[in-house]
């Protein structure tokens, strides 16, 4: 039995669309979301970035900004959560550069439980529930 | 804001329209135009000029000069918007919705898109006097050595629009993602036949992993577009025996190196394969054209690597961690092959539908043979390069495969589909029953 080219083409196209039938609700869902949902504002990165980004001017003329957290300094880049925090803050403070130490003039602290205080750092601002700005007291 | 955005796109396309002749002129203008503009913007930042207006005037002058050539018929314009089939149009709409669905859930991009590419773009946008600070980032996950095509293109558009709203990033991503599909479509249509072109473009347009990666605002899909454009140019060179296309192919390969480090591997492989071929054929003129076209990109990449002064983690690991010892560990080889098979089944399953046309057999068109075999060698060498990169990586192989293998596949997927489509007999006259 010979199968025509047209039959094969139609079969592949039919199967491709059949396997994509689950995307049909998107025809309503996506236009609705784009039109009525503030998807940019509720984006998880954006929610974390905005409070610091709004105060980005604080870091003007500072090449480096410090970072510390309730995760041990040596383990910051080993844990997914602290890596996330670090890079989210880096995005927010660019073009300043975030470094994993507390030796800079300004230091951003992210704490999941209690704020860990350091003698020579004075808290000067709270960005959100977990994120604080400290200034080094010489 | 939106007029600035449209203007930035228009200027890039006009500049890209300077490429030689039909066919593909409009499609080629996308990677060429955005590629050139990203390099222009990078070079502008290097000058240290603080006034962005200077850059805008410079681009405007370039666009006017190119337009002069176009409209004085030295390079006659010819744009034909051709009709596409209903199934492809419907797949296009569905693909766009899948794409936008990912975008509304991840408007600042995927984790990599956000952390690597968009963060670099912010460095190049927020304060252009401090953009070099991006190279001071201390941790390897910021990948300071990654080339700047995507951040530079994004920041350039933000400069025109005056803000960094993600709607502009995603429109750029749409342009690249759907250009890759349409470039594949028109390439298969031109070198093979319309039936297969429609089939392949429709299936790729419905493949979620391809669309989602495009919407993730990472550089893998733009890279796949440059790789495909380079290979199509090579095919056009062999078809038309016009050296313009060889130069254009080399330029696209050069831009690949400006997109990602994997693109640098493609660039080197492209130069190696075409170089050896022209040496063997004693075609010194073409060898010269290829070398001459590659020189600006070699200089650009060398300069960039010197500027970023940041070792590549894979190359650094080769010496620091003696990763060459991994070559003797059979377990690594098996792990890569196993992950590849699982990845293809889990995320690329829709593409397996394209095995069905094999029922009609395999036949390579005579006219394409030289270009096909050269491209096949390039593809195989690329795959070997990827394989060795995994083997020699200093990172945990399981982690690396989990987070990068799908993107690596996507970089060469349009090229693979193009080469595979050329082998199929279906749609050719002697298969009609």
């Amino acid at each position: 039995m010979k199968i025509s080219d047209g039959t094969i083409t139609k079969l592949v196209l039919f199967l491709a669309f059949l396997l994509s039938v689950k995307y049909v609700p998107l025809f309503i869902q996506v236009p609705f979301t784009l039109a009525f949902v503030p998807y940019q504002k509720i984006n998880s990165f954006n929610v974390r970035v905005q409070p610091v980004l709004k105060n980005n001017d604080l870091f003007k003329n500072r090449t480096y900004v410090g970072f510390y957290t309730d995760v041990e300094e040596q383990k910051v880049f080993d844990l997914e959560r602290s890596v996330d925090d670090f890079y989210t803050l880096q995005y927010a403070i660019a073009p300043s550069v975030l470094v994993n130490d507390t030796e800079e003039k300004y230091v951003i602290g992210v704490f999941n439980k209690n704020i860990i205080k350091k003698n020579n750092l004075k808290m000067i601002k709270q960005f959100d529930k977990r994120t604080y700005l400290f200034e080094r007291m010489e | 804001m939106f007029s600035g955005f449209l203007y930035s796109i228009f200027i890039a396309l006009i500049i890209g329209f300077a490429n030689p002749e039909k066919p593909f002129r409009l499609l080629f203008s996308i990677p060429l135009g955005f590629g050139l503009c990203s390099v222009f913007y990078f070079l502008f930042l290097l000058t240290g000029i603080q006034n962005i207006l200077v850059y805008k005037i410079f681009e405007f002058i370039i666009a006017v000069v190119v337009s002069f050539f176009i409209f004085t018929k030295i390079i006659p314009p010819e744009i034909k918007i051709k009709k596409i089939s209903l199934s492809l149009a419907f797949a296009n709409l569905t693909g766009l919705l899948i794409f936008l669905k990912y975008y509304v859930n991840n408007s600042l991009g995927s984790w990599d898109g956000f952390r690597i590419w968009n963060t670099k773009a912010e460095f190049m946008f927020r304060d252009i006097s401090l953009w070099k600070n991006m190279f001071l980032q201390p941790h390897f996950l910021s990948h300071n050595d990654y080339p700047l095509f995507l951040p530079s293109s994004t920041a350039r558009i933000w400069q025109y629009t005056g803000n960094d709203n993600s709607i502009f990033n995603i429109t750029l991503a749409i342009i690249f993602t759907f250009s890759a599909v349409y470039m594949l479509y028109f390439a298969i249509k031109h070198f093979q036949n319309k039936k297969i072109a429609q089939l392949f473009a429709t299936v790729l347009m419905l493949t979620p992993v391809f669309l989602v990666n495009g919407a993730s605002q990472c550089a893998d899909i733009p890279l796949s577009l440059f790789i495909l454009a380079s290979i199509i140019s090579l095919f056009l060179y062999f078809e038309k025996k016009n050296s313009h296309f060889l130069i254009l192919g080399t330029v696209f390969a050069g831009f690949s190196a400006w997109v990602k480090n994997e693109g640098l591997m493609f660039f080197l492989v492209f130069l190696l394969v075409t170089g050896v071929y022209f040496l063997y054929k004693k075609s010194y003129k073409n060898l010269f054209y290829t070398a001459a076209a590659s020189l600006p990109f070699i200089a650009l990449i060398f300069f960039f690597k010197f500027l970023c002064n940041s070792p590549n983690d894979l190359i650094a690991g080769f010496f620091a961690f003696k990763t060459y010892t991994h070559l003797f560990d059979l377990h690594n080889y098996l792990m890569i092959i196993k992950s590849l098979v699982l990845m293809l089944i889990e995320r690329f399953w829709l593409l397996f539908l394209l095995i069905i046309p094999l029922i009609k057999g395999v036949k390579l068109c005579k006219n394409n043979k030289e270009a096909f075999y050269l491209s096949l060698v390039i593809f195989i060498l690329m795959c070997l390069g990827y394989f060795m990169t995994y083997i020699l990586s200093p990172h945990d192989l399981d982690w690396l495969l989990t987070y990068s293998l799908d993107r690596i596949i996507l970089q060469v997927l349009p090229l693979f589909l193009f080469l595979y489509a050329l082998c199929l007999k279906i749609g050719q006259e002697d298969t009609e029953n």
Side-chain angles (χ1 to χ4, degrees), chain B residues 348-366:
Chain B
F348 294 84
W349 48 269
L350 197 68
L351 294 171
F352 285 97
L353 288 177
L354 296 174
I355 293 172
I356 296 173
L358 271 178
I359 294 169
K360 295 296 260 184
V362 175
K363 186 186 177 189
L364 186 61
C365 177
K366 272 183 192 171

Side-chain angles (χ1 to χ4, degrees), chain A residues 3 5 29 40 91 94-95, chain B residues 101 126 133 165-166 360 431:
Chain A
I3 310 168
D5 290 353
Q29 193 187 355
Q40 284 185 325
Y91 179 94
Chain B
K101 165 77 176 166
R126 284 187 192 154
N133 281 0
N165 193 312
S166 65
K360 295 296 260 184
T431 68

Side-chain angles (χ1 to χ4, degrees), chain A residues 31-49:
Chain A
F32 178 84
T33 310
L34 286 170
F36 302 111
V37 178
Y39 60 91
Q40 284 185 325
K41 280 185 185 170
I42 59 174
N43 174 267
S44 61
F45 288 139
N46 204 34
V47 167
R48 289 158 70 192
V49 162

Side-chain angles (χ1 to χ4, degrees), chain B residues 33-43 55 59 124 148-154 156 255 258:
Chain B
F34 282 101
L36 285 170
C37 286
S38 81
V39 174
F40 291 158
Y41 186 71
F42 169 71
L43 295 177
Y55 176 72
E59 260 197 3
M124 298 177 92
L148 295 177
F149 164 76
L150 192 57
S152 184
S153 299
T154 310
R156 172 188 165 271
F255 276 129
W258 182 234

Side-chain angles (χ1 to χ4, degrees), chain A residues 2-6 8-13 15-17 19-20 22-23 26-31 33-34 39-41 43-46 49 53 56 60-64 77 80 83-88 90-100, chain B residues 87 90-91 93-94 97-98 100-101 103-111 114-115 118-119 122-123 126-127 130 133 136-142 164-167 195 198-199 202-203 206 208 349-350 353-354 356-357 359-360 426-428 431-433:
Chain A
K2 288 182 178 177
I3 310 168
S4 72
D5 290 353
I8 292 175
T9 311
K10 282 173 191 162
L11 174 70
V12 175
L13 289 175
L15 289 173
F17 281 110
L19 291 167
S20 305
K22 62 181 174 185
Y23 300 116
L26 295 184
F27 280 79
I28 295 169
Q29 193 187 355
V30 171
T33 310
L34 286 170
Y39 60 91
Q40 284 185 325
K41 280 185 185 170
N43 174 267
S44 61
F45 288 139
N46 204 34
V49 162
L53 186 59
N56 185 294
K60 218 169 189 177
N61 305 321
R62 311 285 336 163
T63 303
Y64 293 106
F77 295 118
E80 199 177 319
V83 172
D84 284 7
D85 286 334
F86 184 88
Y87 279 99
T88 309
Q90 174 56 76
Y91 179 94
I93 67 161
S96 298
V97 176
L98 196 67
V99 286
N100 183 30
Chain B
S87 65
F90 191 69
L93 183 61
T94 312
L97 290 169
I98 297 170
L100 291 174
K101 165 77 176 166
Y103 167 66
V104 294
N105 288 337
N106 305 273
S107 58
L108 290 184
S110 65
W111 174 232
F114 170 80
R115 188 193 68 218
N118 285 338
T119 301
E122 293 291 359
F123 273 100
R126 284 187 192 154
D127 185 342
L130 299 172
N133 281 0
L136 300 174
Q137 291 184 87
H139 186 237
F140 86 93
L141 276 178
S142 57
D164 57 356
N165 193 312
S166 65
I167 197 87
K195 264 184 190 155
Q198 185 190 332
L199 209 61
T202 304
V203 173
L206 291 170
W349 48 269
L350 197 68
L353 288 177
L354 296 174
I356 296 173
I359 294 169
K360 295 296 260 184
I426 187 172
Q428 294 180 22
T431 68
E432 292 290 355
N433 298 305

